[in-house]
Each structure stands twice: as structure tokens, then as C-alpha cells.
């Protein structure tokens, strides 16, 4: 019996948050690419064993998802404008370096005007190497 189980975990990688082209309606906003390397073992809260995500099985429930600070819905940063799975063998450029899949790539903009979101955006623009976590549901476990 398949049972959906919500998960949140941190990918221990040094993949940076990257800058993209500015977009916006009237007011241009910086675009950030959030790279979450999922080809490695990851610790899942409450589980004694690590997991590895099969990138062939990754799907998204909607096009726009909230980008949260520490997975906390009270600490909003922004919204995704594009979600994709970068498969093994595919790559993107990030801060002048070629970054290879497999990974989940979320392109987002800051939509929150809260002080914390503004501070995070400034830190990203100043080059702080934030790490990215992903949350989701386990539909099948082998």
C-alpha cells in the first residue's frame, strides 16, 4: 500500500544560490536559482536511515511554490517562477561555474517584504553561500 508521507530534509551541499535575469511587472526583481543536489544520501527527520531521491520519480504538485526560510510558513521569502528537474548529464551555469545534475532547480523571486526576506536577499546579492533544502512527499519506499 502506497502512503504519502511528507518529508523535509536538508541536502548537505555547497551549491550556491545563483542570480538570473531581473523580471517583474513594472518593478524589476532579481531572479534566484535555487539548486538542491539530490543525487546524494540525505537525512530525513524521524528516520534512522538516509534516503536517496530517484530523480526519475520527482514531480511537482503545482508550478508556483512558496520559498520559505527554514521550512517555516511564517518566514516567507518568495515564490517559484519555474521548477525543473535537472537530470544526470545536464548542467547549468551558476556563478561562473558549470553545475551538473541530478538536482531540483527552482527559479524564484522574492515576493515577501518582511525584514528577514529583504535581509536574505541582500545577503544573496552580496555573495553569501546559502544552502538549499527541499520538502516533499515520499510516495514509495524501496
Amino acid at each position: 500500500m502506497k502512503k504519502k508521507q511528507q518529508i523535509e530534509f536538508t541536502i548537505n551541499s555547497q551549491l550556491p544560490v545563483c542570480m538570473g535575469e531581473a523580471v517583474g511587472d513594472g518593478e524589476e526583481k532579481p531572479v534566484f536559482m535555487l539548486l538542491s543536489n539530490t543525487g546524494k544520501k540525505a537525512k530525513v527527520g524521524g528516520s534512522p536511515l538516509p534516503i536517496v531521491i530517484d530523480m526519475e520519480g520527482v514531480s511537482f504538485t503545482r508550478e508556483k511554490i512558496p520559498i520559505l526560510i527554514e521550512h517555516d510558513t511564517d518566514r516567507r521569502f518568495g515564490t517559484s517562477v519555474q521548477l525543473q528537474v535537472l537530470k544526470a548529464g545536464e548542467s547549468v551555469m551558476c556563478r561562473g561555474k558549470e553545475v551538473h545534475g541530478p538536482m531540483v532547480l527552482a527559479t524564484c523571486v522574492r515576493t515577501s517584504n518582511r525584514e528577514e526576506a529583504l535581509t536574505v536577499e541582500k545577503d544573496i546579492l552580496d555573495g553569501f553561500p546559502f544552502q538549499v533544502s527541499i520538502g516533499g512527499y515520499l510516495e514509495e519506499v524501496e
Side-chain angles (χ1 to χ4, degrees):
M1 174 183 190
K2 290 185 181 180
K3 179 181 178 186
K4 282 190 174 184
Q5 175 185 353
Q6 186 169 358
I7 59 169
E8 291 180 358
F9 55 95
T10 300
I11 303 300
N12 295 316
S13 69
Q14 296 299 317
L15 294 174
V17 175
C18 302
M19 284 295 301
E21 296 178 17
V23 298
D25 297 325
E27 176 191 352
E28 290 202 347
K29 294 183 177 186
V31 173
F32 302 100
M33 294 184 342
L34 308 179
L35 308 174
S36 186
N37 184 349
T38 57
K40 299 177 184 171
K41 292 180 182 178
K43 287 296 232 175
V44 178
S47 173
L49 301 174
I51 68 164
V52 176
I53 296 177
D54 177 2
M55 297 306 289
E56 295 298 320
V58 172
S59 62
F60 306 103
T61 57
R62 57 188 182 257
E63 188 172 314
K64 284 190 171 187
I65 61 169
I67 306 300
L68 305 173
I69 299 169
E70 299 291 335
H71 298 277
D72 185 343
T73 56
D74 289 331
R75 299 173 69 195
R76 298 182 296 276
F77 176 78
T79 308
S80 65
V81 293
Q82 181 183 22
L83 299 169
Q84 70 184 83
V85 175
L86 194 65
K87 296 181 178 168
E90 297 178 333
S91 63
V92 294
M93 292 301 291
C94 181
R95 291 194 177 167
K97 294 183 180 179
E98 191 172 23
V99 181
H100 300 275
M103 70 179 68
V104 173
L105 171 61
T107 305
C108 73
V109 293
R110 180 193 49 77
T111 52
S112 173
N113 288 317
R114 293 177 178 207
E115 186 175 335
E116 183 175 32
L118 296 169
T119 300
V120 167
E121 180 181 61
K122 182 182 181 318
D123 288 347
I124 293 169
L125 294 172
D126 288 344
F128 186 83
F130 282 98
Q131 292 187 353
V132 177
S133 303
I134 62 174
Y137 294 93
L138 289 176
E139 291 188 351
E140 185 176 328
V141 179
E142 294 182 10

